[in-house]
Amino acid sequence: MREALGAVRAEVGRAVVGQDAAVTGLVIALLCRGHVLLEGVPGVAKTLLVRTLSTALDLDTKRVQFTPDLMPGDVTGSLVYDARTAEFSFREGPVFTNLMLADEINRTPPKTQASLLEAMEERQVSVDGTPRPLPSPFVVIATQNPVEYEGTYPLPEAQLDRFLLKLTLPLPERHEEIEVLARHAAGFDPRDLVKAGVRPVAGKDVLERAREEVARVQVAPEVLGYVVDVVRGTRQSPSLSLGVSPRGATALLATARAWAWLQGRSYVTPDDVKALAHPTLRHRVQLRAEAELEGVTAESVLDTVLASVPVPR
């Protein structure tokens, strides 16, 4: 199973250059049945990354461009009147898929953003009082642009907390950017992944068995205490007005277990918790205004907390 998921990461590398950390984060989210918030400037291959991952895993994927005029029914689906039968029938929205790419999720009003809450938490959609289950696996991968704030609607804390991970996609290094240009010069077309040589190397069955193995990864009581101490440390930070919730603690435990399994271990170490603390917790904390003015960031606060919490031996 590890080899199969390792092959998935290698397959994504056929189309996406230099985003190994983001690819690993997406694999961890799939193992944990969690959702991902991708943040990066335009043009760093956020959409290409999701499309390539879905091809390598042979999963169905749909993309929704979030705009100010998008309605909740455009995402979840709606009842449509059929004149031939004189009855209403349900027409599924793009949320009925395995990997849903919510592009620029912060460009749509809160009403439409909220339409995803039930889908993300309950894995179902209720229309006209009838719950309709979503396919399995189901993962929302939402993107947002960190540099354009005009005309955006920041995600509320309740919705941010439902994302398992927040992954940042940096600009590529010089040698990576040269590799991107070399591929395009050789005829690479990001719209034709088959021609690029990307093929399915794993499927839903592999993913399900891998999830079962991750669930058997052992966690010592001392490591559980360490996770709780890290989370409680954020609540006591003078730079934060909002610390990590208990949901954040369970998320950190889940991602640390998945990371330990990917590393070939059947137990979690404090280093696994440290490795996943930033992507799992950075979007669950809220800075005080005065701390922001002083240049404090969520990353620096988490660094301080991790440095101050005693590590179990």
Side-chain angles (χ1 to χ4, degrees):
M1 247 68 71
R2 286 189 196 91
E3 288 178 6
L5 291 178
V8 167
R9 288 189 279 181
E11 203 66 19
V12 173
R14 290 176 180 269
V16 181
V17 178
Q19 300 293 0
D20 295 339
V23 175
T24 301
L26 290 173
V27 170
I28 288 174
L30 283 164
L31 289 172
C32 298
R33 296 179 172 85
H35 310 288
V36 179
L37 184 62
L38 286 180
E39 187 173 272
V41 298
V44 291
K46 296 188 291 290
T47 303
L48 179 62
L49 175 60
V50 176
R51 287 179 51 238
T52 310
L53 180 69
S54 67
T55 301
L57 279 168
D58 197 21
L59 297 175
D60 182 39
T61 183
K62 290 177 184 172
R63 176 181 177 274
V64 180
Q65 181 64 52
F66 278 68
T67 57
D69 60 348
L70 194 74
M71 298 298 291
D74 298 330
V75 178
T76 61
S78 55
L79 294 175
V80 178
Y81 182 72
D82 189 341
R84 291 174 297 179
T85 61
E87 293 180 349
F88 285 93
S89 60
F90 179 68
R91 181 178 295 170
E92 293 182 350
V95 75
F96 286 85
T97 186
N98 298 128
L99 295 184
M100 178 186 169
L101 177 59
D103 222 354
E104 294 189 296
I105 191 172
N106 58 338
R107 290 210 172 276
T108 200
K111 181 178 181 180
T112 306
Q113 291 176 3
S115 67
L116 280 174
L117 289 178
E118 182 186 12
M120 292 169 69
E121 190 67 22
E122 308 295 338
R123 268 37 179 206
Q124 67 177 27
V125 167
S126 295
V127 177
D128 197 33
T130 304
R132 293 174 169 85
L134 295 172
S136 179
F138 170 71
V139 172
V140 173
I141 303 174
T143 71
Q144 66 178 16
N145 186 338
V147 295
E148 290 181 359
Y149 294 110
E150 191 172 339
T152 62
Y153 304 85
L155 292 172
E157 285 70 25
Q159 186 153 0
L160 282 172
D161 204 34
R162 281 172 169 78
F163 285 101
L164 180 75
L165 297 169
K166 179 182 177 182
L167 305 175
T168 56
L169 273 67
L171 289 166
E173 300 290 337
R174 182 177 185 274
H175 69 279
E176 293 169 341
E177 203 157 0
I178 290 173
E179 173 65 19
V180 171
L181 294 185
R183 291 188 182 189
H184 279 265
F188 171 71
D189 183 359
R191 298 169 192 83
D192 190 351
L193 295 178
V194 175
K195 187 178 177 182
V198 179
R199 58 188 178 83
V201 292
K204 297 178 184 178
D205 55 335
V206 171
L207 196 58
E208 195 56 45
R209 281 183 287 161
R211 286 173 168 177
E212 292 171 3
E213 288 194 10
V214 170
R216 291 195 288 269
V217 172
Q218 299 298 310
V219 188
E222 294 81 6
V223 176
L224 290 176
Y226 181 62
V227 171
V228 170
D229 290 342
V230 168
V231 168
R232 292 178 69 85
T234 65
R235 299 173 196 162
Q236 296 161 6
S237 172
S239 299
L240 299 178
S241 59
L242 179 69
V244 178
S245 69
R247 182 192 280 138
T250 60
L252 182 55
L253 174 62
T255 55
R257 290 176 90 180
W259 176 246
W261 181 82
L262 285 172
Q263 296 302 300
R265 280 183 278 103
S266 60
Y267 57 90
V268 178
T269 69
D271 285 340
D272 297 324
V273 177
K274 285 185 177 181
L276 272 297
H278 282 272
T280 309
L281 304 181
R282 59 166 62 114
H283 57 295
R284 303 175 191 272
V285 298
Q286 192 174 57
L287 290 167
R288 293 187 185 276
E290 55 270 28
E292 244 178 318
L293 289 172
E294 293 171 3
V296 177
T297 64
E299 306 289 336
S300 62
V301 171
L302 289 174
D303 283 335
T304 302
V305 170
L306 289 171
S308 63
V309 175
V311 180
R313 299 296 177 190

